[in-house]
Amino acid sequence: MKNLIDIRDMSVEEIDQLIHTAIDIIENKEKYSKKCKGKTLATLFFEPSTRTRLSFEAAMFELGGNVLGFHDAGTSSTAKGESVSDTIRTVCCYSDIIAMRHPKEGAPLVASQKASVPIINAGDGGHNHPTQTLTDLLTIKMEKNSFNNMTVGFCGDLKFGRTVHSLINALMRYENLHFVLISPQELRIPEYLRSEMEANKNITFEEVSDLNDAISKLDILYMTRVQRERFFNEADYIRLKDSYNLTKKTLLNAKEDLKILHPLPRVNEISAEVDDDPRACYFKQTLYGKYIRMALIMKLLKIE
Ligand code: NCD
């Protein structure tokens, strides 16, 4: 594997190995503190980010490496009209590995075709977000110790939510999963993914709109924000933005061992009162994101 553009670039075995490394990093941090000495990660963020960019940067620092990049394309030559391909060719001269986020679906794939160093897709438009999925999988491993035999609820913006698309793609390769896709009619899963789920033998799924009806059967609840920046008009966003609000009351009917995940940032879809519930995992999930990215950087740089 040279790049990580789509979570399916990795086999289930490679993902297992990466999770194994991430857990070893958590348990033996010191052992990894110089693994990337002399190596440079570039973070090219053409779209806003807090967790993804900073966790990549923290990951590289904790591996003893260096970081450069930009987090506002308006201050880069993009603002002068430079193409993604030319920007990438340039940054390849100064770095050993690149993490890139872009509003256009497929931009990291195009970048990888021009690049002489590994490219990591850190989110492309409403399409994919494979490193968030690795984060989610490490969280599920730590909290449930299995990827099989579960009912997983995905709630919120399933149309534009790239983290949902990548996580569904990853989970479809495990066994005996049931997905409950909870969204307003307008924000249902894209047709291409629905067809893939229909053809898949490992999973079954249902599409519903009410979280309260679904909550009692879930083992994992993956909440998402309504993706304001992907809407064509503000009125639609305003109408749909408060479709869900997970509260203590909603959780009265939930399983004791439910695990609540959210890629963050959250807006109104989870009330702050839920943060103290032992079932809330989203801040732990943020921390796991750093460790799995450490493991990923080492893998792509072929560092043992
Ligand atoms: C997600 C993203 O950028 O897609 N955030 C993240 O990377 N943790 C989810 C979101 O923005 O809603």
Side-chain angles (χ1 to χ4, degrees):
M1 180 177 92
K2 182 182 172 240
N3 308 293
L4 178 61
I5 305 300
D6 185 304
I7 192 66
R8 285 169 299 188
D9 295 344
M10 294 183 78
S11 65
V12 169
E13 293 70 32
E14 281 178 306
I15 290 177
D16 277 353
Q17 187 55 47
L18 202 74
I19 289 175
H20 183 82
T21 306
I23 294 173
D24 194 54
I25 295 171
I26 294 171
E27 291 168 356
N28 304 288
K29 294 197 183 74
E30 198 46 42
K31 196 169 110 189
Y32 293 88
S33 65
K34 295 194 176 65
K35 290 281 186 191
C36 287
K37 197 164 183 291
K39 299 287 185 191
T40 298
L41 164 78
T43 54
L44 308 186
F45 277 63
F46 296 82
E47 253 195 1
S49 169
T50 299
R51 272 148 295 270
T52 305
R53 184 174 62 86
L54 295 182
S55 67
F56 263 116
E57 297 190 358
M60 196 53 167
F61 286 131
E62 290 196 22
L63 291 167
N66 307 306
V67 173
L68 52 78
F70 56 77
H71 51 82
D72 174 5
T75 65
S76 76
S77 284
T78 305
K80 300 179 183 172
E82 186 171 60
S83 67
V84 167
S85 301
D86 287 0
T87 303
I88 287 294
R89 282 187 180 183
T90 306
V91 178
C92 284
C93 302
Y94 315 136
S95 62
D96 302 289
I97 183 165
I98 297 173
M100 171 186 172
R101 169 172 288 188
H102 201 282
K104 283 221 171 69
E105 287 81 5
L109 177 64
V110 171
S112 72
Q113 289 157 352
K114 297 286 173 196
S116 56
V117 307
I119 300 287
I120 302 170
N121 177 5
D124 62 327
H127 188 215
N128 278 328
H129 194 345
T131 67
Q132 181 63 46
T133 297
L134 293 173
T135 302
D136 303 338
L137 292 175
L138 176 59
T139 309
I140 295 171
K141 175 75 183 176
M142 299 295 275
E143 298 295 325
K144 288 276 186 203
N145 200 27
S146 172
F147 299 118
N148 305 314
N149 310 316
M150 283 185 296
T151 297
V152 184
F154 294 89
C155 179
D157 188 344
L158 310 187
K159 180 179 182 188
F160 297 119
R162 56 194 173 193
T163 63
V164 169
H165 305 159
S166 290
L167 184 54
I168 285 179
N169 269 318
L171 289 177
M172 278 199 289
R173 298 188 293 185
Y174 296 94
E175 274 167 33
N176 190 28
L177 292 173
H178 181 64
F179 296 160
V180 186
L181 306 172
I182 310 155
S183 74
Q185 184 69 22
E186 294 93 325
L187 299 179
R188 285 167 69 177
I189 205 86
E191 191 48 50
Y192 78 91
L193 252 184
R194 185 176 302 108
S195 310
E196 286 184 34
M197 287 191 292
E198 276 163 0
N200 187 285
K201 299 273 179 289
N202 301 324
I203 62 124
T204 52
F205 70 97
E206 60 188 299
E207 297 187 89
V208 302
S209 58
D210 193 334
L211 173 60
N212 291 300
D213 288 350
I215 190 97
S216 64
K217 57 181 143 184
L218 305 180
D219 299 300
I220 292 176
L221 171 58
Y222 194 87
M223 291 295 291
T224 62
R225 151 184 91 88
V226 176
Q227 306 276 302
R228 178 179 203 158
E229 64 276 35
R230 314 266 178 245
F231 277 75
F232 292 111
N233 81 62
E234 183 77 1
D236 287 343
Y237 169 72
I238 289 170
R239 187 165 48 80
L240 293 166
K241 72 183 175 67
D242 296 319
S243 298
Y244 299 101
N245 175 231
L246 183 68
T247 61
K248 280 189 170 166
K249 190 161 167 253
T250 326
L251 287 171
L252 288 176
N253 294 321
K255 289 185 181 176
E256 278 302 309
D257 60 353
L258 169 74
K259 301 294 172 186
I260 306 163
L261 277 65
H262 191 312
L264 304 178
R266 113 181 98 181
V267 187
N268 293 323
E269 60 280 359
I270 303 182
S271 289
E273 64 178 21
V274 174
D275 298 357
D276 300 330
D277 190 292
R279 291 168 285 193
C281 298
Y282 29 94
F283 289 110
K284 277 191 257 181
Q285 190 181 352
T286 299
L287 177 60
Y288 293 141
K290 178 179 71 178
Y291 296 119
I292 200 77
R293 289 181 174 102
M294 289 171 77
L296 177 67
I297 291 168
M298 286 186 3
K299 179 177 171 64
L300 289 172
L301 289 177
K302 304 200 183 332
I303 292 169
E304 287 297 309

